[in-house]
Amino acid sequence: MTEQATRPRAQADPSILTLEFRHAHQLIDPAAEGVQTWQVCLLASGETVAQARATRGQLWKAHNLGKRLADEQSFAAVAAEQLFDEDGELSPEYENFVDLPGNVLVIDGLRIDPPWDSPWIVAGLVSSIIDRLTDNQYAAVLPRVSGEAGDALLAEAGELLSAEPFSGNLLIIDTSLAFPKRAAQRVLEHLRSLAR
């Protein structure tokens, strides 16, 4: 864990932060079944200070989930390439890595303004996204290594949330396990203490 991840930012009060989830799709659109993309905004006193993308893929709704995720033209495509084989089946590595393989939530595209660009704040954001968009049968996927500041913060947040490295590109939080839940609680307690 980096020094930045452990050092609180006094000027960034997390008690003024709220989340806004935006998602729109056509009422009747078979092509949208199984994959949904959410834009999640973090607001400080009503002003947007961060945005992230959450792409939720549900295997039971999309028989071709790997191809559908690959079509997203974002980090979801990188995840699809590693979680599914050429035939669109779950890769053996992925099936062995998580308890209940199938549903995925890919979080990427983070843009965040200072002074909010703390791994703890981002971990709180990621934890809230996972809490609202998944149940205990998901693999939440984050970027592991990247030159972009937002992806680097997502990777640090993943470490705070007990994400496990799946490959050189992917971190995975298995929502069926207890230790990510304990890590999310620890992040929430840390943010509450900063707000006091």
Side-chain angles (χ1 to χ4, degrees):
M1 192 177 317
T2 67
E3 180 184 342
Q4 182 184 10
T6 58
R7 186 179 61 235
R9 293 182 175 218
Q11 68 272 31
D13 178 6
S15 68
I16 65 170
L17 296 174
T18 57
L19 289 171
E20 182 177 278
F21 287 73
R22 299 176 185 159
H23 171 68
H25 71 278
Q26 293 179 325
L27 179 63
I28 303 171
D29 182 7
E33 290 177 3
V35 176
Q36 305 160 349
T37 300
W38 297 75
Q39 190 70 34
V40 183
C41 296
L42 188 66
L43 298 98
S45 301
E47 179 184 336
T48 301
V49 296
Q51 292 183 343
R53 177 178 42 240
T55 305
R56 180 169 64 179
Q58 298 168 307
L59 188 63
W60 61 278
K61 283 189 174 181
H63 66 282
N64 57 347
L65 183 57
K67 181 177 181 336
R68 295 283 311 287
L69 287 172
D71 289 344
E72 289 297 307
Q73 299 301 312
S74 63
F75 182 67
V78 175
E81 195 175 283
Q82 296 182 34
L83 302 180
F84 295 86
D85 64 22
E86 293 175 359
D87 298 324
E89 300 295 323
L90 298 174
S91 74
E93 296 82 13
Y94 174 53
E95 287 192 276
N96 292 329
F97 195 80
V98 297
D99 275 1
L100 300 167
N103 300 325
V104 297
L105 179 72
V106 180
I107 302 171
D108 69 328
L110 176 69
R111 293 190 323 266
I112 187 164
D113 298 334
W116 307 104
D117 54 342
S118 150
W120 288 100
I121 297 286
V122 176
L125 171 65
V126 169
S127 177
S128 292
I129 292 170
I130 292 169
D131 184 52
R132 282 158 182 79
L133 297 181
T134 70
D135 55 26
N136 65 351
Q137 298 181 13
Y138 275 80
V141 181
L142 302 168
R144 182 172 181 195
V145 177
S146 176
E148 295 192 23
D151 286 350
L153 277 169
L154 284 172
E156 287 186 75
E159 289 180 27
L160 290 171
L161 293 168
S162 297
E164 294 287 328
F166 177 74
S167 68
N169 304 93
L170 307 181
L171 291 171
I172 292 181
I173 299 171
D174 186 345
T175 63
S176 66
L177 303 177
F179 64 89
K181 292 174 181 57
R182 289 193 297 268
Q185 187 62 36
R186 186 178 67 244
V187 166
L188 183 60
E189 288 302 321
H190 180 79
L191 292 176
R192 284 180 180 150
S193 70
L194 290 179
R196 290 189 197 112

